[in-house]
Amino acid sequence: MNDNQQNAPAGLALVGDIGGTNARFALWRGGRLDAIEVLACADYPRIEDAAREYLRRIDRPLGDIHSVCLACAGPVGEGDFRFTNNHWVIDRQKFRAELGLSHLLLVNDFSSMAWATVSLDAKHLVCVREGTPQKDRARLIIGPGTGLGVSSLLPTAGGGWEVLPCEGGHVDLPVTSERDFAIWQQLRELHGHVSAERVLCGRGLENLYRISCGIDGVQPKCASAAEIGELAMAGDPYADKVLEHFFLWLARVAGNAALTVGALGGVYITGGIVPRFLDRFRQSGFAEAFATRGKTSGPYLAQVPVWVMTAEHPGLFGAGVALEQALKSGR
């Protein structure tokens, strides 16, 4: 440990939530975020440069930081990390050496959403389906946004948690009605394999609206997911019908995932779409469709509660929680 680290504020860490376009940074101490800043990835040749710029902006010397957790968009392994949608590469050894770190933790960006559920205040969770969570069972985290993220969280001995990252957004899209099948057929013609993400994300909502208009002979009034949502909120009955179908498909995919991982600890919905239309989502058929299925699976899901996460920066918060647990466990 160098002299700067000896004089650094106790427990102060740097956390980041790094996507293809933006890098969000914050300080983490005592279970709280502070000094949140958003930087454009394209403005910096390397992630080390962005981290240094963040600390400069908040007037913190590099020596104050000795632990870092970065939530990264993409599958995180043991080696170096190359971002899918920007030019940055994280060489773990070089990153630690250049910034003088004693600890560097990389986690998948959606895994950080799972970590966030461990410590989020109740004010950041809106219940959309009543139930009784079982504390010793898995939790499911699912979120339609730019893509469809899915992960699960398992309780471990000693009161800890283990995140299981996955690629659950790419499972087959479930088909449960003739209407579903008609849409699925057109998606298959366009894309071959029809994953859940083909419908349950921003571009997926656009797919759903465009194909639905074609099936029904309706002239489209908008093109983007944001426009579809705004039109639905403004009272357009057709856009609202499409948004309802989106929510019902989310219920089916979330219910299937909950059955697969045994998520009797509850389901947490995040991402950029559902929280934006929270009031409409609460009025939708999601809660009923989630557990309306066979005589065995229906009762299994009957008492599984569902919440929507409304925290402004859950990825940053989850990175902080993940770092805390890693430091306590000595990983």
Side-chain angles (χ1 to χ4, degrees):
M1 181 180 293
N2 61 38
D3 291 340
N4 284 337
Q5 289 175 340
Q6 289 176 346
N7 297 324
L12 186 65
L14 172 67
V15 293
D17 184 8
I18 318 296
T21 304
N22 294 315
R24 296 169 177 82
F25 292 105
L27 297 178
W28 176 266
R29 179 166 54 185
R32 294 184 179 276
L33 295 170
D34 187 33
I36 297 171
E37 295 276 345
V38 182
L39 282 67
C41 299
D43 290 346
Y44 304 93
R46 306 175 305 148
I47 189 171
E48 292 89 344
D49 301 319
R52 287 178 178 276
E53 171 62 14
Y54 165 75
L55 293 172
R56 187 197 65 78
R57 288 189 183 189
I58 65 170
D59 196 27
R60 278 281 182 184
L62 184 59
D64 280 2
I65 306 298
H66 55 85
S67 296
V68 171
C69 179
L70 300 176
C72 305
V76 176
E78 294 297 323
D80 299 337
F81 181 83
R82 183 178 297 275
F83 287 85
T84 304
N85 295 314
N86 71 43
H87 59 286
W88 287 349
V89 177
I90 300 177
D91 182 313
R92 293 174 185 259
Q93 290 186 348
K94 290 182 179 179
F95 190 95
R96 287 181 60 176
E98 181 170 334
L99 300 186
L101 304 176
S102 59
H103 195 91
L104 171 64
L105 177 66
L106 304 184
V107 297
N108 170 263
D109 61 337
F110 213 80
S111 293
S112 70
M113 298 290 188
W115 282 114
T117 70
V118 174
S119 299
L120 275 180
D121 293 337
K123 66 181 180 181
H124 292 138
L125 295 172
V126 176
C127 185
V128 295
R129 186 176 191 274
E130 299 289 341
T132 304
Q134 296 184 24
K135 294 182 179 180
D136 62 341
R137 297 301 297 269
R139 299 175 181 182
L140 173 73
I141 297 84
I142 185 168
T146 303
L148 177 62
V150 182
S151 63
S152 55
L153 192 68
L154 302 178
T156 61
W161 293 89
E162 185 72 25
V163 173
L164 298 182
C166 69
E167 292 298 323
H170 299 290
V171 299
D172 293 342
L173 181 70
V175 174
T176 59
S177 69
E178 291 183 3
R179 178 76 173 185
D180 288 356
F181 183 61
I183 294 169
W184 178 89
Q185 283 182 304
Q186 294 203 27
L187 286 169
R188 184 182 61 174
E189 291 176 5
L190 290 169
H191 303 290
H193 176 249
V194 184
S195 68
E197 191 176 78
R198 292 297 184 190
V199 167
L200 296 176
C201 67
R203 289 186 178 179
L205 179 56
E206 295 164 9
N207 289 336
L208 182 58
Y209 180 77
R210 183 179 62 257
I211 292 173
S212 297
C213 286
I215 291 173
D216 296 329
V218 172
Q219 183 64 35
K221 297 180 181 179
C222 46
S224 71
E227 291 173 345
I228 296 165
E230 290 170 3
L231 198 62
M233 294 304 97
D236 182 89
Y238 196 81
D240 185 74
K241 175 183 176 181
V242 172
L243 193 60
E244 175 70 10
H245 198 173
F246 181 94
F247 292 151
L248 294 179
W249 238 323
L250 177 59
R252 288 293 179 183
V253 172
N256 287 350
L259 288 169
T260 300
V261 302
L264 300 182
V267 174
Y268 296 77
I269 297 175
T270 184
I273 296 178
V274 174
R276 187 178 303 171
F277 307 117
L278 182 56
D279 289 341
R280 176 63 182 84
F281 184 67
R282 297 176 75 177
Q283 297 168 13
S284 75
F286 174 92
E288 180 179 358
F290 177 82
T292 301
R293 48 195 71 221
K295 64 180 182 179
T296 300
S297 56
Y300 186 88
L301 295 173
Q303 290 302 311
V304 175
V306 181
W307 297 274
V308 174
M309 297 167 59
T310 59
E312 190 173 357
H313 298 286
L316 287 173
F317 189 87
V321 175
L323 181 61
E324 281 189 357
Q325 175 154 312
L327 291 174
K328 286 179 182 177
S329 64
R331 289 191 295 177

